[in-house]
Amino acid sequence: MNELTFFTYPSCTSCRKTKSWLKANSIDFSERHLFRETPSSKELLEILSLTTEGLDEVLATRSSTFKNLNIDVNELSLSEVVKMIVEEPKLLRRPILTDGKKLVVGYNPDALKGIASRKEPLKLSS
Protein backbone atom coordinates (compact mmCIF):
# COMPACT_ATOMS: atom_id res chain seq x y z
CA MET A 1 0.00 0.00 0.00
CA ASN A 2 2.04 2.98 -1.18
CA GLU A 3 -0.63 4.89 -3.03
CA LEU A 4 -3.42 6.49 -1.05
CA THR A 5 -6.26 3.99 -0.64
CA PHE A 6 -9.69 5.40 0.22
CA PHE A 7 -12.10 2.85 1.71
CA THR A 8 -15.52 4.43 1.38
CA TYR A 9 -19.27 3.92 1.33
CA PRO A 10 -21.14 6.30 -1.02
CA SER A 11 -24.07 7.08 1.29
CA CYS A 12 -21.76 7.96 4.20
CA THR A 13 -21.67 11.74 4.78
CA SER A 14 -18.11 11.69 6.14
CA CYS A 15 -17.02 9.67 3.10
CA ARG A 16 -18.56 12.20 0.71
CA LYS A 17 -16.93 15.11 2.57
CA THR A 18 -13.56 13.37 2.51
CA LYS A 19 -13.84 12.58 -1.20
CA SER A 20 -14.76 16.20 -1.94
CA TRP A 21 -11.75 17.39 0.08
CA LEU A 22 -9.40 15.02 -1.75
CA LYS A 23 -10.70 16.12 -5.15
CA ALA A 24 -10.66 19.84 -4.24
CA ASN A 25 -7.00 19.44 -3.29
CA SER A 26 -6.06 17.38 -6.36
CA ILE A 27 -5.08 14.36 -4.29
CA ASP A 28 -4.59 11.11 -6.19
CA PHE A 29 -6.27 8.14 -4.55
CA SER A 30 -7.56 4.67 -5.25
CA GLU A 31 -11.19 4.34 -4.17
CA ARG A 32 -12.59 1.09 -2.79
CA HIS A 33 -16.19 0.46 -1.81
CA LEU A 34 -15.87 -0.75 1.77
CA PHE A 35 -18.64 -3.35 1.49
CA ARG A 36 -17.99 -4.59 -2.05
CA GLU A 37 -14.17 -4.55 -1.85
CA THR A 38 -13.71 -5.30 1.82
CA PRO A 39 -10.14 -5.03 3.09
CA SER A 40 -8.45 -8.42 3.26
CA SER A 41 -7.20 -9.85 6.55
CA LYS A 42 -3.69 -8.73 5.60
CA GLU A 43 -4.88 -5.21 4.78
CA LEU A 44 -6.80 -5.01 8.06
CA LEU A 45 -3.71 -6.04 10.00
CA GLU A 46 -1.73 -3.33 8.18
CA ILE A 47 -4.43 -0.77 8.99
CA LEU A 48 -4.50 -1.85 12.65
CA SER A 49 -0.71 -1.57 12.85
CA LEU A 50 -1.04 2.12 11.93
CA THR A 51 -3.58 2.99 14.62
CA THR A 52 -2.70 4.89 17.76
CA GLU A 53 -5.77 3.66 19.66
CA GLY A 54 -5.94 0.09 18.33
CA LEU A 55 -9.36 -1.37 17.59
CA ASP A 56 -11.15 1.60 19.14
CA GLU A 57 -9.89 3.76 16.29
CA VAL A 58 -11.40 1.64 13.52
CA LEU A 59 -14.40 -0.13 15.04
CA ALA A 60 -17.82 1.52 14.69
CA THR A 61 -18.81 0.73 18.26
CA ARG A 62 -21.89 2.99 18.17
CA SER A 63 -23.33 1.22 15.11
CA SER A 64 -26.34 -1.04 15.44
CA THR A 65 -24.35 -3.78 13.67
CA PHE A 66 -21.74 -3.69 16.44
CA LYS A 67 -24.29 -3.42 19.25
CA ASN A 68 -26.25 -6.37 17.86
CA LEU A 69 -23.17 -8.59 18.20
CA ASN A 70 -23.48 -8.26 21.97
CA ILE A 71 -19.85 -9.27 22.51
CA ASP A 72 -16.82 -7.82 24.21
CA VAL A 73 -14.18 -7.53 21.48
CA ASN A 74 -11.51 -7.32 24.17
CA GLU A 75 -12.19 -10.99 24.89
CA LEU A 76 -11.48 -11.98 21.27
CA SER A 77 -8.10 -12.73 19.76
CA LEU A 78 -6.83 -10.39 17.05
CA SER A 79 -7.40 -13.06 14.40
CA GLU A 80 -11.01 -13.49 15.57
CA VAL A 81 -11.63 -9.74 15.38
CA VAL A 82 -10.08 -9.50 11.91
CA LYS A 83 -12.17 -12.44 10.68
CA MET A 84 -15.30 -10.82 12.13
CA ILE A 85 -14.56 -7.52 10.33
CA VAL A 86 -13.87 -9.25 7.00
CA GLU A 87 -17.21 -11.04 7.32
CA GLU A 88 -19.04 -7.88 8.45
CA PRO A 89 -17.30 -4.73 7.13
CA LYS A 90 -20.09 -2.53 8.54
CA LEU A 91 -18.17 -2.87 11.80
CA LEU A 92 -15.55 -0.46 10.45
CA ARG A 93 -15.68 3.29 10.91
CA ARG A 94 -15.76 5.20 7.65
CA PRO A 95 -13.96 6.42 5.69
CA ILE A 96 -10.53 4.86 6.08
CA LEU A 97 -7.57 6.31 4.20
CA THR A 98 -4.07 4.91 4.23
CA ASP A 99 -0.89 5.10 2.24
CA GLY A 100 0.63 2.20 4.16
CA LYS A 101 2.54 4.54 6.48
CA LYS A 102 -0.19 6.81 7.81
CA LEU A 103 -3.86 6.32 8.59
CA VAL A 104 -6.87 8.63 8.71
CA VAL A 105 -10.22 7.36 9.97
CA GLY A 106 -13.28 9.56 9.53
CA TYR A 107 -13.45 13.04 8.04
CA ASN A 108 -10.54 15.00 9.50
CA PRO A 109 -9.13 17.76 7.23
CA ASP A 110 -6.11 18.35 9.49
CA ALA A 111 -5.16 14.67 9.39
CA LEU A 112 -5.83 14.55 5.64
CA LYS A 113 -3.23 17.29 5.13
CA GLY A 114 -0.66 15.02 6.76
CA ILE A 115 -1.35 12.01 4.56
CA ALA A 116 -1.97 13.69 1.21
CA SER A 117 0.45 13.79 -1.69
CA ARG A 118 -0.32 16.98 -3.50
CA LYS A 119 -0.04 18.05 -7.10
CA GLU A 120 -0.62 21.67 -6.09
CA PRO A 121 -0.92 23.67 -2.81
CA LEU A 122 -3.73 22.69 -0.44
CA LYS A 123 -6.88 24.76 -0.43
CA LEU A 124 -8.22 25.93 2.89
CA SER A 125 -11.61 24.48 3.77
CA SER A 126 -14.08 25.19 6.55
Side-chain angles (χ1 to χ4, degrees), residues 89-109:
K90 288 183 179 178
L91 294 171
L92 287 170
R93 289 181 56 208
R94 306 176 279 280
I96 295 174
L97 289 100
T98 184
D99 64 359
K101 295 182 178 118
K102 295 179 186 174
L103 178 71
V104 177
V105 180
Y107 176 64
N108 182 339

Side-chain angles (χ1 to χ4, degrees), residues 23-39:
K23 287 184 171 191
N25 287 285
S26 302
I27 309 298
D28 289 329
F29 61 93
S30 170
E31 185 171 358
R32 288 184 44 192
H33 190 291
L34 194 55
F35 306 147
R36 292 187 191 137
E37 297 177 80
T38 304

Side-chain angles (χ1 to χ4, degrees), residues 56-73:
D56 291 339
E57 194 169 336
V58 296
L59 278 181
T61 55
R62 295 183 304 182
S63 72
S64 59
T65 303
F66 183 83
K67 289 177 182 175
N68 289 338
L69 291 175
N70 202 24
I71 59 168
D72 181 358
V73 292

Side-chain angles (χ1 to χ4, degrees), residues 5 7 12 30 35 39 42-43 49 53 58 61 64 67-68 71 73 76 83 86 88 94-95 98 108 116-117 119 126:
T5 303
F7 293 98
C12 161
S30 170
F35 306 147
K42 181 182 177 205
E43 288 172 319
S49 75
E53 300 169 27
V58 296
T61 55
S64 59
K67 289 177 182 175
N68 289 338
I71 59 168
V73 292
L76 301 176
K83 182 177 186 276
V86 169
E88 187 51 75
R94 306 176 279 280
T98 184
N108 182 339
S117 296
K119 291 188 220 168
S126 53

